[in-house]
Amino acid sequence: MGRVAVKLSDRRVFESIVDGLARAIKEKPEDVVWFFQVKELMRSMDEPMDDSEAWDAILEDNKAVEMSTGALIETARERLKKFRRIERKLKKLGVI
């Protein structure tokens, strides 16, 4: 994800909103930001991509993983559980 220049006042407003949401659902602010980043990534994956774009994305993200398959699956389970927990709380709060 690219970085965008943001005015200090806009950044403070954003941080205030994130902090408020985090307090309301009793989660860490960085987890709330992580949730919305994952949600945006999931949304972008629903958009069709032609073969050359897909191949470019695969080559660009070609990184070695230093974890076993079992460890990767366990990490994925934990992250999915965390995502669903935050999603459930935000839905209850009426944010999403």
Side-chain angles (χ1 to χ4, degrees):
M1 293 186 180
R3 300 193 93 185
V4 178
V6 181
K7 291 191 290 185
L8 185 59
S9 61
D10 292 342
R11 183 181 172 103
R12 286 186 182 144
V13 168
F14 175 76
E15 289 173 351
S16 175
I17 291 169
V18 169
D19 287 342
L21 283 174
R23 275 193 306 276
I25 64 172
K26 295 177 177 49
E27 295 284 347
K28 295 182 226 171
E30 58 268 23
D31 288 343
V32 172
V33 171
W34 170 84
F35 170 83
F36 284 107
Q37 288 174 329
V38 171
K39 192 155 180 71
E40 177 60 24
L41 180 62
M42 290 168 59
R43 188 194 62 74
S44 72
M45 291 174 69
D46 288 339
E47 297 170 3
M49 183 184 294
D50 67 40
D51 290 344
S52 64
E53 288 176 321
W55 189 249
D56 290 342
I58 290 168
L59 291 176
E60 181 180 307
D61 197 36
N62 190 11
K63 299 175 187 166
V65 176
E66 301 292 328
M67 296 174 76
S68 69
T69 302
L72 284 170
I73 290 171
E74 185 58 32
T75 299
R77 281 187 184 130
E78 290 169 5
R79 301 252 171 100
L80 180 60
K81 186 177 174 182
K82 176 174 141 180
F83 180 87
R84 296 291 183 218
R85 180 186 71 233
I86 293 171
E87 181 181 49
R88 191 174 50 252
K89 290 177 179 182
L90 289 174
K91 279 183 179 177
K92 186 176 180 182
L93 194 60
V95 173
I96 57 171

